[in-house]
Amino acid sequence: MDIFLYLSPFLTGFVISTALLFTARTLFLRMESRFAVPVRRFGGVAVIGSFALSILMNPHLVLTPAILGIIIGSIGILFFGILDDIATLSWKLQLAFQISLGVILFVSGLRIFSLPVPFVGQVFVDTLPGGEMLGIIVLILWVVFVTNALNWADGIDGLLPSISIFAFFALFCLSISSRVDQPPLGIIAVVLAGAVLGLLVFNFPPSYFFPGTTGSFFIGFSLASLSILSGAKLATAILVLSLPMLDAIWVFVERLRCGQSPFRGGDLRHLHYRLRELGWSDRAIVLGYAAYTALVGGIALSFGSTGKTIAFLVLSILVGVFLFQIQKRVGLAGSFSASQEL
């Protein structure tokens, strides 16, 4: 393996992201007090800029329709995210935009050909009734779900970048493994890991910049896209992101159980907020999530599809019990803020 093939794009993503954020910290933070522009929430802008520049400058990447679709979606996130960070758009607009991201990927040629089903194995979507329509529905649902799960994880400084870095590295290791052998995907994964690491430098508590809607949407969109680009890596992504995903499902169900809209939240039911209420420091929460993601990432790379399915079922039970115990200790109702959340 040519280490430089992957080390160079990783460092490029990291350096560009860090340089953009350092420049913003030096020159533009005064805009917050002078023009009431939330510059600190624009950390995701640097990540998208670093990703786009690193991809376009890399001589080993061919801009296929699928990669162009990801870039187009990222540009859309850039503008939508900045607008949302300034004006706080409604959850309906956010959901409509996320659906449009899934449509962009579908039009660009990305497909989910198979799904890991417990005790069944891989089920090929095109063999099911209404296969083509089912394929686009599954793709859109995947993009929306991953984007929201990562968006909801952006509640504590450093949490979202820490989770996503290990997720990108897991997809990188899978992409360059002998089982998959897709070096272009490995390059894209390390570019994203480097760009997000640059954000983490400024977002680890105490933070100077936040991912904002731009960053959280882009990171979720990127992980969703990368997991289905040029072959199914869905099981690995599901396993690596199991903690934020299971937490998102838990909160979703809790809102329904309490007679609330599952999309309009802004509440503090999420696990990271619960742990904070129990006295965990923000750094301890971030390190705990990072350790879990790294450990599960190693498990995901060690098993085949059946092993990953079993591991996810076991983790679902363990995490579910843990969430239930945390809820009992903190209280059933949860706390609420005035903001909207999708």
Side-chain angles (χ1 to χ4, degrees), residues 279-299:
W280 287 44
S281 68
D282 286 2
R283 291 192 176 194
I285 295 171
V286 170
L287 292 175
Y289 268 74
Y292 175 94
T293 308
L295 176 63
V296 175
I299 294 174

Side-chain angles (χ1 to χ4, degrees), residues 210-272:
F210 312 113
T213 300
T214 306
S216 60
F217 275 30
F218 172 70
I219 290 172
F221 173 71
S222 299
L223 284 168
S225 304
L226 202 59
S227 65
I228 57 177
L229 182 61
S230 298
K233 300 167 189 63
L234 223 55
T236 298
I238 291 172
L239 197 55
V240 173
L241 298 175
S242 57
L243 187 54
M245 284 183 172
L246 291 171
D247 178 56
I249 293 172
W250 178 275
V251 173
F252 193 90
V253 173
E254 276 295 294
R255 291 173 183 169
L256 288 174
R257 191 178 67 84
C258 295
Q260 300 160 352
S261 168
F263 299 108
R264 298 186 63 175
D267 61 63
L268 303 181
R269 286 188 176 95
H270 294 290
L271 176 60
H272 45 274

